[in-house]
Amino acid sequence: MNTTERTRPGLYGQIAKLTVPIVLQNLLSAAVNSADVVMLNFVGQAHISAVSLAAQYASVLFMILYGLGTGVTMLAAQYYGKKEMRAIEVVEGIALRFSLLASLLFALAALSVPRLMMRVFTPDPELIDIGAQYLRNISVAYLCWGIIEVYLATLRSIGRVAISTVLNTVAFSLNILLNAVFIFGLLGAPKLGAAGVALATTLSRLVELALVLVVSARSKDVKLRPSLLFARNRLLFRDFLRMAMPAMANDVIWGLAFSMYSVIIGQFLGTDMVAANSFAGLMRNLGTILCFGVASAGGILLGQIIGENRMEDAVEAAKKLMRLTVISGAIGGAIILAAMPVVLNFADLTQAGKGYLRTMLLINSYYVMGAAVNTTLIAGVFRAGGDSRFGFICDTIDMWCYAVPLGFLAAAVLKLPPMWVYFLLCTDEFVKWPWVIRHYLSRKWLKNITREGLFENQE
């Protein structure tokens, strides 16, 4: 019996073991976002729209941090398979330097020019005022994210996903509680509306950062130490730049393109579409939670297998991962369809807004399948083998040469009806399927990226 046959029965179990905590974590994140919209629904449509637009900056920062975290996972998961913990610490330190720089820049912008940041998305003075208050209050949370996301990505890369789930559970639960306090003025607090959402996020992230420091102090393998910021290794730094930078750039250009979708909707399609898109975005995120969890878990597992130089096992694992992805995409679409009556009944939108939302949900019920397949292959399978360049090129062409220009053409030049514009924007995932699947079948992504003698003559 060969190695593949011996390991085959355990692959689904290993993927499930990693997927479940990640899915729970993503569910909690979606719950917080849902709580924001649900509670702001009682404040007014303007607050929902303003937060939806202002939160695009957090989405872009998250994409930067996620890309850096992916770079950590690409290298650390393979080195963990090789049991080289010193290399993992150096990679963590490299990622922290980049993440803190990005977080600081976003925090300074949110504090100093929040109104200018809002004008990018909308000309509406009311939305600009509300959004500017939100951005000022959330600026400190940006700094916390820079530290938290890299450390938790390092823990996930060595299979310790339960810890990040526990930490996020505490932070997200606190966030929801504080949302209620500051939005509605409970327990003697002032009624802050959208600004209260940001303040609740900042306070909960500060608590999460404190808990991360406690976990680090008790950890026997991966720690969060200031000295890591100064950890040096030329080979690892070169590898990180070569692999993590395309991954980060990929996530950023993808995140920016999605932000441009919001610009198109906000600038050309009206506030009803903006508000409807807030609810549609929440449901899309809910529908893709399982898909993205499978992709993240599969990437970690594949990285460890490749690091052990078990290439045929990695191929088998990738096949099983794709089967799970198709199933999870179908489940995600079914969730959106099942929740549609509840969402439409609850959403405090105009009649036009509800009409838009109904069509948006139908479109997203199949859109999640496109997102599931592409995310699993580009962010999971390919990156596990050290291939982040393909995804960067593919998404750059797809989003910036196709989807974004098409959206502006449809909305600003052709002035098509709002739902036609939205439908065209949602073709982006399916356009790149042929190239993504072809690259997967070629196996060009399958590489062991670890090095021997990393710390010889490198000090």
Side-chain angles (χ1 to χ4, degrees):
M1 182 181 292
N2 61 31
T3 304
T4 300
E5 289 171 338
R6 288 197 304 270
T7 57
R8 186 176 295 159
L11 284 173
Y12 283 128
Q14 288 175 284
I15 292 174
K17 184 178 178 181
L18 291 172
T19 299
V20 171
I22 294 173
V23 168
L24 289 175
Q25 190 174 329
N26 292 342
L27 271 172
L28 289 166
S29 178
V32 172
N33 294 333
S34 299
D36 291 349
V37 174
V38 168
M39 294 182 192
L40 288 175
N41 189 58
F42 295 100
V43 179
Q45 182 171 301
H47 284 255
I48 295 175
S49 300
V51 169
S52 172
L53 296 175
Q56 296 303 312
Y57 288 103
S59 297
V60 173
L61 177 59
F62 177 78
M63 288 299 167
I64 294 174
L65 299 179
Y66 181 80
L68 291 171
T70 299
V72 171
T73 301
M74 289 170 68
L75 286 162
Q78 288 205 19
Y79 277 110
Y80 185 67
K82 200 174 180 179
K83 304 305 178 188
E84 179 57 83
M85 299 304 296
R86 189 178 177 190
I88 294 174
E89 285 193 336
V90 174
V91 169
E92 180 189 357
I94 294 169
L96 278 171
R97 292 199 288 272
F98 285 106
S99 68
L100 285 173
L101 176 62
S103 300
L104 181 61
L105 291 175
F106 272 76
L108 290 175
L111 278 173
S112 56
V113 289
R115 297 181 65 82
L116 180 61
M117 293 168 72
M118 285 301 298
R119 287 195 187 98
V120 172
F121 293 106
T122 179
D124 190 312
E126 182 182 10
L127 298 188
I128 290 173
D129 288 340
I130 296 171
Q133 294 175 36
Y134 174 93
L135 287 169
R136 288 193 190 96
N137 282 359
I138 206 170
S139 58
V140 176
Y142 291 162
L143 291 173
C144 296
W145 275 328
I147 301 171
I148 292 169
E149 292 304 320
V150 169
Y151 183 67
L152 295 186
T154 309
L155 288 179
R156 286 193 295 270
S157 69
I158 65 173
R160 298 182 63 188
V161 294
I163 293 176
S164 60
T165 302
V166 171
L167 293 180
N168 283 156
T169 299
V170 174
F172 292 154
S173 300
L174 180 61
N175 197 343
I176 293 173
L177 176 63
L178 292 177
N179 271 347
V181 170
F182 293 118
I183 291 174
F184 301 121
L186 305 179
L187 304 177
K191 291 184 179 181
L192 299 176
V197 172
L199 182 58
T201 300
T202 295
L203 292 175
S204 62
R205 291 303 178 180
L206 284 169
V207 170
E208 186 177 16
L209 178 58
L211 293 175
V212 160
L213 295 175
V214 172
V215 169
S216 170
R218 293 174 175 268
S219 177
K220 295 180 180 179
D221 38 40
V222 176
K223 292 185 177 291
L224 184 63
R225 301 191 302 266
S227 61
L228 292 178
L229 291 170
F230 307 99
R232 306 284 178 179
N233 185 283
R234 289 192 302 275
L235 293 175
L236 280 176
F237 185 74
R238 194 180 309 154
D239 286 345
F240 188 85
L241 290 181
R242 181 166 55 88
M243 297 169 199
M245 291 301 105
M248 184 185 75
N250 186 179
D251 292 330
V252 170
I253 63 103
W254 188 86
L256 285 173
F258 250 87
S259 294
M260 292 306 295
Y261 292 2
S262 295
V263 171
I264 293 168
I265 292 171
Q267 295 285 359
F268 302 108
L269 304 184
T271 56
D272 284 334
M273 273 291 290
V274 172
N277 189 48
S278 300
F279 285 96
L282 282 177
M283 293 309 302
R284 179 175 61 245
N285 292 340
L286 183 62
T288 55
I289 281 175
L290 180 59
C291 313
F292 292 175
V294 169
S296 298
I300 293 168
L301 178 60
L302 280 174
Q304 292 176 3
I305 293 172
I306 295 171
E308 295 171 10
N309 225 28
R310 294 158 48 203
M311 296 306 185
E312 288 305 312
D313 288 354
V315 172
E316 284 296 306
K319 289 178 181 177
K320 291 181 180 293
L321 191 58
M322 284 304 299
R323 292 178 198 140
L324 289 175
T325 295
V326 173
I327 293 171
S328 64
I331 292 173
I335 288 173
I336 292 175
L337 288 176
M340 188 163 65
V342 177
V343 176
L344 289 171
N345 183 60
F346 172 80
D348 185 17
L349 301 175
T350 64
Q351 201 61 36
K354 287 195 175 186
Y356 293 148
L357 179 57
R358 181 180 293 104
T359 305
M360 286 176 164
L361 293 175
L362 289 173
I363 290 172
N364 278 287
S365 68
Y366 66 80
Y367 181 80
V368 294
M369 182 63 78
V373 172
N374 289 324
T375 300
T376 296
L377 290 177
I378 292 175
V381 174
F382 299 165
R383 292 182 185 180
D387 184 357
S388 56
R389 186 169 174 268
F390 174 84
F392 169 62
I393 295 172
C394 182
D395 278 337
T396 299
I397 295 172
D398 177 55
M399 302 297 274
W400 290 98
C401 298
Y402 169 74
V404 171
L406 179 64
F408 274 109
L409 176 66
V413 180
L414 300 178
K415 300 188 184 302
L416 296 180
M419 281 298 92
W420 276 106
V421 176
Y422 188 81
F423 168 76
L424 291 173
L425 289 174
C426 289
T427 60
D428 61 326
E429 294 288 356
F430 298 99
V431 166
K432 60 188 177 186
W433 261 17
W435 290 272
V436 173
I437 294 173
R438 180 183 176 185
H439 190 67
Y440 164 67
L441 295 175
S442 75
R443 297 193 187 182
K444 292 179 180 179
W445 51 269
L446 187 59
K447 298 174 186 176
N448 187 329
I449 56 177
T450 61
R451 293 178 181 268
E452 301 292 338
L454 264 177
F455 299 98
E456 297 175 6
N457 302 318
Q458 290 291 319
E459 303 301 331

